[in-house]
Amino acid sequence: RWSLGRDGLAATTSTSSNDEAHEEVHERCAKRLQALFLSNGGIYIKIGQIMAEMAHMFPKAYSRYMMQLYDQACLSSLGEVQRVFRDEFGTDPLYVFDSFSEQPLASASLAQVHVAKLRGRKMAVKIHHHSVSRNAFMDMYALRLVVHAASWLAPNTQLFEWAARAIENALIRELNFLQEMENCREAEDYMLNNPIPNVKFPVVYPRLTALSVLTMGYEEGVPLSDRQAMLAAGVSPHHVSKLVSQIFCQMLFVDGFVHCDPHPGNILVTWSNDEEGENKKKKEDTGNGKKSSPGIVVLDHALYRRLSPDFQAAHRCLWEGAFSGDVDKMMSAAKRMLDPKDSSHITEDQAQKLVEMVTNVPWKSLASESVHPRDRIALLEGGGSSSSSSSSKGGE
């Protein structure tokens, strides 16, 4: 007998041999799947990247191989870029802009960005790869078909059907630049009504934006992960971390409109050496003699999730329970997050898994009565590693 599920395909014999068989099958299949995604490119690269972010659902081998796809970028020729632009606007980008770079500034799995200028304004033009625009929906249909077939062959893989639906929903939103434009505008409106300083969203140009083309103002900055560049400019990484936390706490707990793809490349750090006005009060000494006021530019607004007030309240309760060690509060909150209307059918195991996903800390550590409050805070700050908190304090 053979079983196919989260633990892979393996003969159901003895437990010890199963573990070894599972690992071997995971490794082989994950490697093959990565090769398939690389061969097909485009939307398949994006599917692999989304799978990498679902590490809580897939065996470790899949997460490891899918993570490598973040370094794989598709590249469209200038001719293909011009074709997509003509399909949307009926003319060539070289006739619309005063200048348009032949080489992309950046390229990802679904689109690439070119630098353009129009009437003295520097712009970033994000354009879908031609193959993505042409094949995306057939590729998503193929994904549904494969997952449905796997579920028919092995009934214990319904979880993968849910994952496939989640991936498809994310892809549909990422393929609609008109929706991304609206998300960017709405998120900016929310931020204008709160006291968080130095947060910026790109200016979007509606007349130069369509389903497959998004034209924005060009924004300078360094990726959130570039700590050395921040220190060299006199920017405190601690101050930047605090500012980013404020932004996303505002989205999660107040606005209820949440950016769902906040990887370092989508968050730029800027700085100002202006010594006048309010900026002077916000300077921080980084220890190297320089002082700069950091700012944040939030990019890539394709993936947003709107949270209901009930969900937000339950989410707050979950974190309160996690920090206080209140197991009943965590469980009750997790069940309400999974089904705000009727949580009676939610199992303890499902609730515990959600708590682990939200906090990134094993349930046993959160539920343990022997964990000191100070260690509990360190666990939650470090995502399950108490040592990460202390090391971060030592060097900002």
Side-chain angles (χ1 to χ4, degrees), residues 142-152 157 160-162 164:
L143 172 66
R144 285 200 304 272
L145 191 63
V146 169
V147 173
H148 182 71
S151 299
W152 180 75
T157 56
F160 290 163
E161 285 199 273
W162 177 89

Side-chain angles (χ1 to χ4, degrees), residues 119-285:
R119 301 187 186 95
R121 295 176 180 174
K122 192 174 183 180
M123 300 176 175
V125 185
K126 186 176 177 182
I127 301 180
H128 280 150
H129 297 300
H130 181 254
S131 60
V132 169
S133 299
R134 185 183 62 225
N135 302 325
F137 290 97
M138 284 301 297
D139 288 339
M140 284 189 281
Y141 177 78
L143 172 66
R144 285 200 304 272
L145 191 63
V146 169
V147 173
H148 182 71
S151 299
W152 180 75
L153 289 169
N156 59 335
T157 56
Q158 285 94 352
L159 186 64
F160 290 163
E161 285 199 273
W162 177 89
R165 287 195 299 271
I167 290 171
E168 184 176 348
N169 289 336
L171 287 171
I172 289 172
R173 285 181 284 171
E174 290 217 53
L175 290 170
N176 187 346
F177 284 159
L178 292 172
Q179 184 60 56
E180 181 170 348
M181 174 180 68
E182 294 303 322
N183 289 344
C184 183
R185 287 172 157 182
E186 185 171 354
E188 183 177 28
D189 288 342
Y190 277 119
M191 285 295 163
L192 288 174
N193 295 320
N194 74 70
I196 302 176
N198 301 333
V199 182
K200 189 175 181 181
F201 294 78
V203 174
V204 181
Y205 297 95
R207 293 185 179 181
L208 295 173
T209 294
L211 194 67
S212 297
V213 178
L214 177 64
T215 304
M216 307 164 286
Y218 182 88
E219 299 292 344
E220 302 279 357
V222 300
L224 184 63
S225 56
D226 196 342
R227 186 173 183 272
Q228 291 305 316
M230 294 183 221
L231 291 174
V235 173
S236 164
H238 175 74
H239 193 177
V240 171
S241 176
K242 183 178 179 181
L243 186 55
V244 172
S245 295
Q246 286 178 313
I247 293 168
F248 283 91
C249 283
Q250 176 76 23
M251 290 181 175
L252 281 165
F253 300 113
V254 181
D255 300 336
F257 191 59
V258 185
H259 189 301
C260 296
D261 194 17
H263 63 75
N266 285 343
I267 301 176
L268 298 182
V269 180
T270 64
W271 50 83
S272 170
N273 292 313
D274 181 11
E275 295 293 338
E276 300 298 329
E278 290 298 317
N279 284 338
K280 188 174 181 180
K281 300 177 183 178
K282 299 171 185 174
K283 306 296 179 184
E284 284 202 18
D285 193 345

Side-chain angles (χ1 to χ4, degrees), residues 73-82 100-116 122-129 218:
C74 303
L75 192 64
S76 294
S77 67
L78 181 60
E80 290 172 322
V81 168
Q82 291 171 319
F100 187 88
S101 64
E102 292 188 11
Q103 296 299 319
L105 173 70
S107 185
S109 55
L110 300 182
Q112 62 189 46
V113 178
H114 289 256
V115 178
K122 192 174 183 180
M123 300 176 175
V125 185
K126 186 176 177 182
I127 301 180
H128 280 150
H129 297 300
Y218 182 88

Side-chain angles (χ1 to χ4, degrees), residues 279-332:
N279 284 338
K280 188 174 181 180
K281 300 177 183 178
K282 299 171 185 174
K283 306 296 179 184
E284 284 202 18
D285 193 345
T286 60
N288 61 1
K290 295 182 179 180
K291 296 180 180 180
S292 294
S293 178
I296 297 294
V297 180
V298 184
L299 302 176
D300 199 344
H301 299 271
L303 298 179
Y304 269 77
R305 180 62 60 88
R306 202 177 300 278
L307 307 181
S308 69
D310 289 340
F311 185 94
Q312 286 180 284
H315 188 207
R316 285 193 293 269
C317 285
L318 189 152
W319 280 105
E320 289 170 3
F323 277 106
S324 64
D326 189 332
V327 172
D328 292 337
K329 193 168 190 176
M330 281 189 284
M331 293 297 290
S332 173

